């Protein structure tokens, strides 16, 4: 039975890890947690006089470096001077050289949001009139590429290591103290510590490239590493490494000296280890809370301790689940997991779930802010998936609880039968082949004792015969060697018999249908937990719904202000049906009046990044007066940006503005909206 289950376990684990990898591979670049909500000059604006500075406003505070804000002229030459600096609140500015000529200028920015995630983007404005530009911003990708995937994988491994390490230790201390002597549980907990330590070191190295250049070759740049150590995230990672040193000492005591103590000494040591372990685990959880979502935004002072409780509850539940799974499958036959240990873990898991629900509701309210954000934002959609996985996990846990109850009932129903079996075994030890070894109280195979007796008798007879025949010392030595060989043979037979007995005992234990059902349900729980952890890691690197909606509101307000000033902005989603055929096209018309107008067209991917397509065409139709369509073919300015000047609209009214986008030789689509002109 065990031989058939073990391959299934390995196969399931590999499939779950593959699914997790697909989740990460399918995830795009890390979403910005600080959104650009305004700029001066604004995107696509045509100003008559060259500005003295460019300022950007974000939805939250950001960290700047020397090259965070850059302004490039049409030839790609930098025209900004000095370092960028804050100009009040969440607005940051960089000064420009004087006497800038007319043309289209590109503003690029790459900053780090307050919750540690990189934010990058670019836009254009024009002085005097739009012009062609050689600047390409297609590589503006923050947190993406190979480095971004490495950083995301490191975050997943660090979360998994923390959960396994803390949950494994909690399972031993709170549920099954005999597990301190089980090597499989020791290896599990130590593996969690090693994974968390290695992932933390890796994140510390990758962090500099992740938030700046995004190049693999810059991972080992010591200058970037020095800059990381001066940031909030760098301090959190270093603090985590120091706490891991204390965690190593805790694990050494738990799986070393603790197992060798008697019951009375264990009680005092259990209390000390519980307090110390809780302090270390809370400190490790705080290293995430102090540098990520909880550290910024609404009610940060409340959110950080809530986040610590949330992480500890996850570790107690999912990490304890991993420890229980290992104990059920890998515990020695003479140290099986009893029903009482499973019941204690069930109570621990129930308390953890209650804590998860309470803290999760608060976190959801804080990060979403509205019911519509569940479906209108990527964060809300991922959160719905996470809630579904948690509900599924609780359902499987309920099934495990039923198997635990049946296992306990099976132990209680036949206690006398088990005792009688032991007594009969002691009385019939000569027939059954088992006895009790003096001095240790452990059962010793009768075959081994018989072999040892025969070896002793043979040795004595040989010794007497040799002494009588020759009386020589050499003969006695030879006979002693022969006796020693028989003794080694007896010891070998004893070990073989003990291994056979252990295998039979494990086979009988695994044949218990209640224990088998419990093992299968716990294995299913662990499988769902792996996917749940992957979704949770993606949530931590996704822009919160509240922030995304605030950015949308700010953009709408900016568009409304522009419309009030006489400008018109229209956003239209398109899907040509081909590869990379989805996106959003934006049309800016200024001043949106009768006569000549300035038009800018921007094409973006669904994630907001600008990208080029082979062709963009615009047509204006005033159906009420049977005018049009009036075609306009804008000129390509830069990545994802087209412009046309002198767009003549002869009459006021409700015009239909149709945009045709072509993403390949055969894939194109036309989208349209109506707008009041004049």
């Amino acid at each position: 039975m065990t031989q058939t289950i073990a391959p299934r376990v390995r196969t399931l684990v590999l499939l779950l890890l593959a699914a997790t990898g697909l989740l990460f591979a399918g995830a795009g670049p890390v979403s910005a947690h600080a959104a650009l909500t305004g700029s001066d000059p604004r995107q696509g604006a045509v100003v008559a006089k060259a500005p003295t500075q460019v300022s950007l406003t974000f939805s939250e505070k950001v960290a700047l470096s020397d090259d965070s804000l850059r302004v490039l002229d049409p030839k790609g030459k930098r025209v900004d001077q000095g370092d960028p600096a804050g100009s009040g609140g969440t607005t940051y500015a960089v000064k420009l050289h004087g006497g800038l000529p007319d043309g289209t200028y590109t503003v690029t920015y790459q900053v780090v949001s307050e919750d540690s995630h990189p934010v990058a983007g670019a836009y254009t404005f024009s002085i005097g009139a739009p012009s062609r530009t050689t600047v390409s911003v297609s590589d503006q990708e923050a947190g993406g590429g190979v480095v971004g995937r490495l950083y995301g994988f490191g975050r997943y491994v660090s979360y998994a290591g923390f959960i396994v390490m803390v949950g494994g230790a909690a399972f031993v201390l709170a549920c099954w103290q005999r597990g301190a002597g089980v090597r499989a549980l020791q290896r599990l907990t130590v593996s969690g510590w090693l994974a968390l330590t290695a992932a933390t070191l890796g994140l510390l190295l990758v962090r500099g490239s992740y938030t700046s250049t995004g190049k693999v070759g810059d991972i080992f740049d010591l200058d970037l590493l020095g800059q990381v150590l001066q940031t909030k995230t760098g301090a959190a990672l270093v603090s985590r490494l120091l706490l891991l040193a204390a965690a190593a000492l805790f694990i050494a005591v738990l799986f070393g000296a603790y197992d060798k103590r008697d019951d009375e000494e264990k009680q005092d040591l259990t209390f000390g280890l519980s307090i110390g372990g809780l302090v270390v685990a809370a400190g490790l959880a705080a290293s995430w809370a102090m540098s990520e979502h909880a550290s910024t935004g609404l009610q940060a002072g409340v959110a950080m301790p809530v986040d610590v409780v949330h992480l500890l509850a996850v570790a107690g539940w999912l990490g304890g689940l991993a420890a229980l799974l290992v104990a059920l499958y890998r515990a020695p036959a003479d140290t099986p997991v009893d029903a009482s240990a499973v019941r204690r873990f069930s109570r621990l898991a129930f308390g953890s779930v209650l804590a998860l629900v309470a803290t999760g509701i608060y976190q959801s309210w804080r990060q979403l802010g509205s019911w519509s954000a569940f479906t209108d934002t990527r964060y809300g959609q991922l959160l719905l998936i996470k809630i579904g996985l948690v509900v599924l996990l609780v359902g499987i846990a309920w099934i495990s609880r039923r198997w635990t109850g049946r296992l306990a009932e099976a132990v209680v129903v036949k206690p006398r039968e088990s005792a009688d079996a032991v007594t009969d075994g002691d009385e019939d030890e000569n027939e059954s082949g088992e006895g009790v070894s003096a001095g240790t109280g452990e059962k010793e195979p009768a075959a081994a004792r018989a072999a040892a007796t025969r070896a002793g008798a043979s040795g004595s007879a040989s010794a007497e015969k040799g002494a009588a025949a020759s009386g020589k010392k050499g003969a006695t030595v030879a006979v002693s060697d022969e006796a020693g060989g028989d003794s080694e043979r007896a010891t070998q037979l004893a070990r073989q018999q003990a291994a056979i007995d252990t295998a039979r005992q494990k086979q009988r234990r695994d044949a218990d249908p209640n224990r088998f059902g419990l093992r299968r349900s716990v294995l299913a729980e662990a499988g769902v937990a792996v996917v749940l952890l992957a979704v949770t890691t993606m949530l931590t690197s996704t822009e919160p719904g509240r922030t995304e909606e605030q950015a949308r509101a700010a953009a709408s307000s900016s568009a409304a202000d522009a419309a009030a000033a006489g400008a018109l902005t229209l956003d239209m989603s398109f899907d040509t049906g081909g590869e990379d055929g989805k996106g959003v096209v934006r049309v800016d018309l200024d001043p949106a009046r009768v006569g000549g107008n300035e038009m800018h067209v921007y094409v973006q991917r669904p994630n907001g990044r600008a990208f080029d397509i082979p062709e963009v065409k615009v047509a204006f139709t005033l159906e009420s007066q049977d005018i049009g369509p009036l075609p306009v073919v804008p000129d390509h300015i830069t990545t994802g940006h087209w412009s046309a000047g002198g767009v003549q609209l002869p009459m006021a009214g409700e015009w239909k503005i149709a945009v045709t986008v072509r993403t390949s030789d055969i894939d194109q689509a036309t989208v349209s909206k109506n707008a009041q002109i004049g």
Side-chain angles (χ1 to χ4, degrees), residues 369-669:
S370 66
W371 292 106
S372 61
F374 271 110
T375 55
D376 294 345
T377 65
R378 186 167 183 265
Y379 187 94
Q381 294 164 359
L382 285 174
L383 186 59
L384 287 175
I385 296 175
K386 179 181 177 180
I387 292 173
L389 290 172
V390 170
V391 172
L392 176 61
L393 199 57
V394 171
I396 302 176
W398 178 77
I399 298 175
S400 299
R401 192 181 182 91
R402 292 186 60 188
W403 283 116
T404 302
R406 293 179 182 178
L407 184 63
E409 291 174 1
V411 173
V412 172
V413 166
K414 299 182 180 180
R416 182 62 187 169
E417 180 180 342
S418 300
D420 292 343
V422 173
T423 304
D424 293 342
D426 290 341
E427 292 175 353
D428 301 333
E429 63 181 34
N430 291 332
E431 297 179 4
S432 64
E434 294 184 350
V436 178
S437 174
T440 63
E442 297 178 353
K443 290 185 178 181
E444 180 184 11
R449 295 200 325 276
T453 302
R454 288 194 301 271
S458 175
S460 299
S462 299
E464 293 175 359
K465 182 178 180 181
S470 63
K472 294 183 180 180
K473 184 176 181 180
T476 304
V477 172
V479 174
S480 298
D481 291 340
E482 183 181 352
D486 290 339
S487 178
E488 291 178 0
R489 176 61 177 166
T491 304
Q492 183 180 6
L493 290 173
R495 286 197 300 266
Q496 293 175 351
Q497 186 62 41
I500 293 173
D501 293 341
T502 300
R504 288 176 178 173
Q505 184 178 357
K506 193 172 189 306
Q507 187 176 9
R508 287 195 300 269
R509 184 195 69 183
D510 294 341
D512 183 359
N514 297 316
R515 182 175 293 273
F516 178 76
L518 177 63
R519 291 169 63 174
R520 294 295 292 271
S521 62
V522 171
L523 181 61
E525 284 186 75
V528 176
V530 171
V531 181
L532 175 63
L533 182 59
V535 174
T536 301
T537 306
M538 293 173 64
L539 265 176
T540 62
S541 59
T542 301
E543 182 177 356
R546 184 186 292 271
T547 305
E548 185 175 340
E549 289 195 329
Q550 288 175 351
R552 288 178 183 173
S556 300
S557 177
S558 177
D561 292 342
L568 173 69
T569 299
L570 298 176
D571 288 337
M572 293 170 273
S573 299
F574 65 85
D575 183 2
T576 62
E579 183 180 357
D580 203 15
K582 293 184 178 181
V584 177
V585 60
R586 168 175 292 182
V587 177
D588 288 345
L589 196 65
D590 189 13
R593 296 176 183 174
V594 174
N597 291 268
E598 195 76 35
M599 184 183 71
H600 294 270
V601 180
Y602 302 92
V603 178
Q604 299 176 336
R605 300 182 191 275
N607 61 8
R609 287 186 56 226
F611 76 114
D612 280 335
I613 57 177
E615 185 179 24
V616 174
K617 294 186 295 185
V618 183
F620 295 85
T621 304
L622 184 60
E623 295 178 345
S624 62
Q625 300 295 327
D626 198 23
I627 299 177
L630 306 177
V632 179
V633 180
D635 296 325
H636 184 259
I637 304 300
T638 185
T639 303
H641 182 196
W642 290 258
S643 176
V647 178
Q648 295 292 328
L649 299 177
M651 185 177 291
E654 186 175 352
W655 287 78
K656 176 183 177 182
I657 303 176
V659 183
T660 300
V661 292
R662 181 168 61 84
T663 57
S664 70
D665 292 339
I666 59 173
D667 298 315
Q668 74 174 31

